[in-house]
Amino acid sequence: VGHGPSPSSSTPGAEKREMQYRAHQGFGDHHDGVTGAHIYFYTDEAKCDQHMETFLRCIDASSGSSEDGFSAIKLTALARPQFLVQFSEVLVKWRKFFHQVAAEQGQAGQAVLDTKLEVEKLQEALANLGIVNKAESQQWFTGENLGTSGTVDLLDWHSLFDSRTKLSRPLLIPNRKTGQLEPLLSHFSEEEELQMKRVLQRMDVLAKRAMEKGVRLMVDAEQSYFQPAISRLTVETQRRFNRSQPIIYNTYQCYLKEAYNNVTGDVELSRREGWHFGTKLVRGAYMEQERERAAQMGYEDPINPTYEKTNEMYHRCLDHVLEEIKHSRKASVMVASHNEDTVKFTLRRMTELGIHPSDKKVCFGQLLGMCDQITFPLGQAGFPVYKYVPYGPVNEVLPYLSRRAQENRGFMHRASRERDLLWKEVKRRLLTGNLFS
């Protein structure tokens, strides 16, 4: 999740934006009495373990059906949704604090990775705010090359708040609404710490099975108020398992206004730490729910205002990853799209950048039963291309399929084109005597 305007305590609407990361029981991110088609609710960890076993069977099935397969997992099935909302809130608060300090150093509005805090000024600011004294803050910037350049960027800042970092006392940061200091981890109890360890352990089990079976693991993107936590947990797993090849793929939803910031930040992190960046790019699947929730809770809509803006964002993110593939050969992308223009854009840029299909750094994905006129020509031309296959009990899979039909209802306008293509192929086969080949 990226930054908006300067997050000082006087910023109009700042407190509204933080509402995005508060649990709301009407939208399936709270425990109490809520049911939803695609989010799981439970009172204990046993259900998470059951879902993990199901995902293990999915990995086995993928391994048995194809080489270089993928298996998709959802973190709302492996961790309590309310924990993911709370963890997201903590991550977003910490990031906003970085941009608050940046604004005070005269760096408001810069590109995320171009924003660099001067360490000495940062230490003074922390001392003036009463957060830590200078001696304590100097300890923050030792080790892991932090501060050796005299500046701290957002990735350095994130590494300060890391599961491996043990702060000597609860970290206090300014509340943007009141200006008063309050604990960053005010909603983060020992129980949440345990939940964090459990979900990372489950991902560890899944990643190890995937490696054994020669399967890659795609972590699905979910609603924006879960996503900071999901991405953070996924990156932690990528750090461990993507050392020599991309086993874990993170998913970026390009209908989000902050998609480019998220992609570029994680690409840069993978480059600095030397692991393989694996990603699936999608447009996004929860637009109506996201907008309804933002309106009800009074925070800024996180979705791009138009489909054209989302297309621009998709191509911008994709181009950045393709450039990284050319630059380092340590990145891989699944172009998960039904949009013919996006597929053509990808093919053109691959040619321009000298990325060959046999490199297997770029693959394509479409949903089963959709856009076969894109899928099959790609496969015949030698590109790695996949069909995303949902399976399970009918009553559980139907809601998923109905959402896919709803988000892809624009296809109905192109149904006649697809029918014409099919009829043309039938006639070609009849005339050549190859009806069934």
Side-chain angles (χ1 to χ4, degrees):
V1 174
H3 67 291
S6 163
S8 65
S9 57
S10 61
T11 304
E15 65 275 8
K16 286 187 178 180
R17 286 195 298 278
E18 289 190 3
M19 288 298 293
Q20 183 171 1
Y21 302 97
R22 303 289 164 81
H24 186 296
Q25 78 179 51
F27 286 91
D29 40 279
H30 199 275
H31 287 304
D32 301 330
V34 184
T35 56
H38 55 283
I39 302 170
Y40 301 88
F41 299 88
Y42 22 76
T43 54
D44 55 43
E45 299 291 308
K47 204 75 174 166
C48 296
D49 290 332
Q50 287 176 23
H51 293 142
M52 182 185 73
E53 293 297 329
T54 299
F55 287 144
L56 287 169
R57 291 197 295 275
C58 290
I59 291 168
D60 293 344
S62 180
S63 172
S65 62
S66 64
E67 288 183 26
D68 300 321
F70 283 94
S71 187
I73 64 171
K74 278 187 179 290
L75 282 202
T76 49
L78 295 173
R80 296 182 190 178
Q82 194 175 19
F83 158 72
L84 294 172
V85 176
Q86 289 174 328
F87 187 31
S88 292
E89 180 186 15
V90 168
L91 294 169
V92 168
K93 274 187 177 179
W94 185 240
R95 184 168 185 157
K96 285 177 178 173
F97 182 32
F98 172 86
H99 290 296
Q100 177 182 339
V101 177
E104 289 164 2
Q105 290 193 12
Q107 296 190 60
Q110 287 191 180
V112 170
L113 291 176
D114 291 338
T115 307
K116 299 179 191 293
L117 307 181
E118 293 180 35
V119 170
E120 287 194 14
K121 284 186 181 178
L122 174 58
Q123 289 173 329
E124 285 173 21
L126 293 171
N128 292 339
L129 287 166
I131 293 169
V132 287
N133 62 38
K134 197 147 187 179
E136 287 177 305
S137 68
Q138 279 174 342
Q139 292 180 351
W140 286 18
F141 304 106
T142 57
E144 297 190 27
N145 299 320
L146 270 180
T148 54
S149 63
T151 60
V152 170
D153 68 9
L154 186 62
L155 299 183
D156 298 325
W157 183 256
H158 279 325
S159 70
L160 288 172
F161 177 66
D162 193 286
S163 57
R164 293 165 296 171
T165 304
K166 297 296 178 190
L167 298 170
S168 57
R169 61 177 180 170
L171 182 61
L172 300 173
I173 64 169
N175 178 305
R176 299 172 57 188
K177 185 176 179 181
T178 66
Q180 301 297 308
L181 292 179
E182 63 177 33
L184 174 67
L185 305 179
S186 54
H187 304 298
F188 222 64
S189 65
E190 261 183 58
E191 176 56 29
E192 272 77 38
E193 289 284 353
L194 281 172
Q195 285 184 48
M196 172 111 65
K197 285 176 184 168
R198 288 183 194 126
V199 68
L200 285 169
Q201 285 168 352
R202 291 183 189 108
M203 292 177 77
D204 195 77
V205 169
L206 294 172
K208 283 177 178 170
R209 178 71 67 89
M211 281 188 80
E212 288 168 14
K213 297 286 185 174
V215 171
R216 287 163 290 178
L217 211 56
M218 289 192 307
V219 181
D220 276 347
E222 304 194 50
Q223 289 87 341
S224 64
Y225 39 93
F226 295 135
Q227 199 54 45
I230 290 171
S231 283
R232 181 60 180 257
L233 293 164
T234 304
V235 164
E236 285 293 326
T237 311
Q238 287 177 312
R239 279 173 162 156
R240 291 197 59 204
F241 290 93
N242 286 13
R243 302 310 304 184
S244 58
Q245 59 181 310
I247 299 293
I248 311 298
Y249 278 57
N250 204 352
T251 304
Y252 298 86
Q253 299 175 105
C254 295
Y255 69 0
L256 294 177
K257 293 171 182 174
E258 295 303 333
Y260 185 74
N261 286 342
N262 297 336
V263 169
T264 54
D266 287 350
V267 166
E268 176 61 22
L269 183 66
S270 70
R271 189 186 286 189
R272 287 186 194 182
E273 297 183 345
W275 43 269
H276 287 250
F277 178 81
T279 180
K280 178 175 75 165
L281 294 179
V282 300
R283 278 175 170 75
Y286 305 105
M287 184 172 73
E288 290 177 9
Q289 184 193 13
E290 290 276 13
R291 287 187 166 155
E292 185 186 348
R293 189 180 189 272
Q296 281 199 26
M297 295 182 70
Y299 59 86
E300 182 188 344
D301 181 1
I303 307 292
N304 285 319
T306 64
Y307 185 72
E308 289 69 31
K309 288 285 183 189
T310 292
N311 279 345
E312 287 173 23
M313 181 67 82
Y314 194 108
H315 290 181
R316 194 179 174 206
C317 292
L318 175 55
D319 204 50
H320 187 83
V321 178
L322 293 173
E323 290 276 4
E324 181 64 16
I325 291 170
K326 182 191 177 185
H327 166 78
S328 72
R329 315 301 291 179
K330 292 182 80 171
S332 299
V333 60
M334 172 181 274
V335 181
S337 176
H338 298 129
N339 187 295
E340 290 182 27
D341 291 335
T342 293
V343 172
K344 288 173 182 173
F345 171 86
T346 310
L347 300 178
R348 189 184 80 243
R349 291 297 289 139
M350 286 177 71
T351 300
E352 290 168 357
L353 295 168
I355 303 168
H356 195 270
S358 63
D359 296 339
K360 295 188 177 179
K361 297 290 185 185
V362 181
C363 64
F364 297 85
Q366 286 86 44
L367 295 170
L368 181 68
M370 288 187 179
C371 283
D372 288 351
Q373 78 274 15
I374 292 177
T375 310
F376 292 120
L378 283 170
Q380 288 163 351
F383 290 90
V385 59
Y386 295 83
K387 281 298 197 185
Y388 194 102
V389 184
Y391 65 93
V394 171
N395 63 324
E396 290 182 23
V397 174
L398 274 177
Y400 168 88
L401 294 174
S402 70
R403 287 196 309 281
R404 296 292 82 79
Q406 186 180 38
E407 79 196 41
N408 290 299
R409 58 187 179 274
F411 284 136
M412 297 310 293
H413 301 304
R414 299 201 293 275
S416 59
R417 168 172 157 71
E418 199 160 339
R419 186 186 61 223
D420 290 345
L421 286 168
L422 289 168
W423 180 236
K424 185 178 175 183
E425 177 64 8
V426 168
K427 286 194 288 188
R428 185 192 70 79
R429 292 187 184 190
L430 282 169
L431 290 169
T432 58
N434 294 310
L435 185 59
F436 298 107
S437 64

